Amino acid sequence: MKKILILLFSLVFLTSTHIRAAETSPLDRLDKIADEALQMTKIGRFEAAKKFLEQFQDQFIEETSYGSILTMDELKIVMMSYNDAIRAINKVSLEPREKMDKVTTFRLVIDAINSHYQPMWTELQEPIMGAFSQIKEAAKEKDRMAYEAALTMFLEKYSLIQPSLKVDLSLEKLEKLDSDISFIDKFRNRIIEDDTQLVQLDIIESDLQHIFDKLSEDETDPSLWWVIITTGSIIVMTLSYVGWRKYRGEKHTKQKEHYD
């Protein structure tokens, strides 16, 4: 019995150690710094946010000095979003909301690269799809003021996740989606004036929803499932063994009483 319990605790310890080790990967460290920069930006501590962004750059150079941990495409996306974020933080005349948007976009990019399960940008599904629904409703009602307000909000929200989409979507899907968004922006007047264009809005809405549905599926990290299954199996085996030992003990006692 003692051997079984020792084996149980050893395996649980090894699996938890495995998880902790995975959490200290280079991308995890960069992800944490990017998150700190965002948190400081949220509360208006822009100097602190700047320091975290500079720390990210130093850490990024260190982590990639012995070989890139990113593909060339990912590297370009990270550098572009980082440069936009640091420029925004350094620009005194920029509105806090604009600083927030740039740092948020950068944060979402790092998360998209680091996380293969439910990336953070999918959390913007509700405001993005909500704004798009308002676009459709205003276009049907010919309410130009509401239409322009909803369109502006939608384009702003979409711009937050667009760089992250470059990480998670295939080139074909990304080009199709960007083409949809460009159509709305370029032909905004035609859409509200011509009812036949409303069909195109339905198609675009479907394309957007499909992107979120695909990436928002309840996917659990395989390593976590491995831990759950392994630990659960060990517990079941241990309980079964204990039950078997108890059964043998009771059987032995009854036999002894019978012979006595």
Side-chain angles (χ1 to χ4, degrees):
M1 181 62 184
K2 289 183 179 179
K3 291 182 178 179
I4 295 295
L5 289 175
I6 291 172
L7 177 61
L8 170 62
F9 288 123
S10 297
L11 286 174
V12 171
F13 172 77
L14 288 173
T15 53
S16 62
T17 301
H18 169 75
I19 293 176
R20 287 196 299 272
E23 290 175 347
T24 57
S25 69
L27 283 175
D28 280 321
R29 290 191 286 272
L30 292 170
D31 187 81
K32 184 177 180 180
I33 298 171
D35 185 63
E36 293 286 359
L38 177 59
Q39 298 310 316
M40 291 299 101
T41 305
K42 283 182 178 180
I43 59 177
R45 296 182 57 187
F46 301 126
E47 281 300 319
K50 178 182 176 181
K51 289 180 180 179
F52 277 114
L53 288 174
E54 291 172 344
Q55 181 185 346
F56 177 91
Q57 184 180 41
D58 294 338
Q59 186 73 32
F60 184 77
I61 293 172
E62 181 180 339
E63 298 291 1
T64 57
S65 59
Y66 299 104
S68 180
I69 55 177
L70 307 175
T71 66
M72 287 303 298
D73 287 338
E74 289 173 341
L75 184 61
K76 291 177 182 177
I77 297 167
V78 169
M79 294 310 300
M80 287 180 65
S81 60
Y82 172 82
N83 289 334
D84 287 344
I86 195 69
R87 276 197 298 265
I89 288 295
N90 284 329
K91 194 170 183 179
V92 179
S93 61
L94 207 61
E95 291 292 325
R97 184 185 61 80
E98 296 177 90
K99 294 177 186 284
M100 180 70 178
D101 286 349
K102 294 300 183 183
V103 178
T104 296
T105 297
F106 168 67
R107 174 71 184 94
L108 294 178
V109 164
I110 302 305
D111 174 79
I113 291 173
N114 190 39
S115 174
H116 300 291
Y117 307 95
Q118 295 183 321
M120 287 176 63
W121 64 261
T122 59
E123 296 175 10
L124 289 173
Q125 175 178 358
E126 186 174 337
I128 288 176
M129 298 307 299
F132 198 89
S133 294
Q134 291 176 29
I135 292 173
K136 289 179 59 181
E137 185 64 26
K140 290 177 182 178
E141 298 295 329
K142 305 298 182 183
D143 187 338
R144 184 170 293 277
M145 184 176 294
Y147 174 78
E148 290 292 342
L151 184 55
T152 298
M153 180 182 294
F154 169 76
L155 293 175
E156 287 178 354
K157 296 299 182 184
Y158 178 77
S159 68
L160 293 178
I161 70 170
Q162 201 271 346
S164 298
L165 298 182
K166 293 180 180 179
V167 175
D168 286 327
L169 301 185
S170 66
L171 181 60
E172 181 181 0
K173 289 182 179 179
L174 181 65
E175 288 179 343
K176 175 65 168 63
L177 193 56
D178 281 347
S179 176
D180 288 342
I181 306 306
S182 296
F183 173 84
I184 299 175
D185 192 18
K186 184 176 181 180
F187 299 105
R188 57 176 65 198
N189 291 329
R190 182 191 299 179
I191 291 172
I192 194 172
E193 293 168 359
D194 185 355
D195 289 341
T196 62
Q197 297 297 323
L198 295 178
V199 176
Q200 187 64 28
L201 288 182
D202 290 333
I203 295 173
I204 296 173
E205 184 179 40
S206 178
D207 288 344
L208 273 169
Q209 190 63 57
H210 177 71
I211 295 300
F212 282 110
D213 288 344
K214 188 175 187 303
L215 270 295
S216 298
E217 291 172 354
D218 185 18
E219 298 174 317
T220 303
D221 189 336
S223 64
L224 178 59
W225 279 117
W226 180 82
V227 171
I228 294 171
I229 293 171
T230 302
T231 305
S233 299
I234 294 170
I235 292 172
V236 171
M237 290 173 61
T238 302
L239 293 175
S240 299
Y241 178 75
V242 171
W244 177 71
R245 287 289 299 271
K246 182 179 179 181
Y247 167 76
R248 283 194 59 188
E250 291 176 349
K251 184 177 180 181
H252 179 72
T253 300
K254 288 181 180 179
Q255 289 177 344
K256 186 176 180 181
E257 291 175 349
H258 176 75
Y259 288 116
D260 289 344

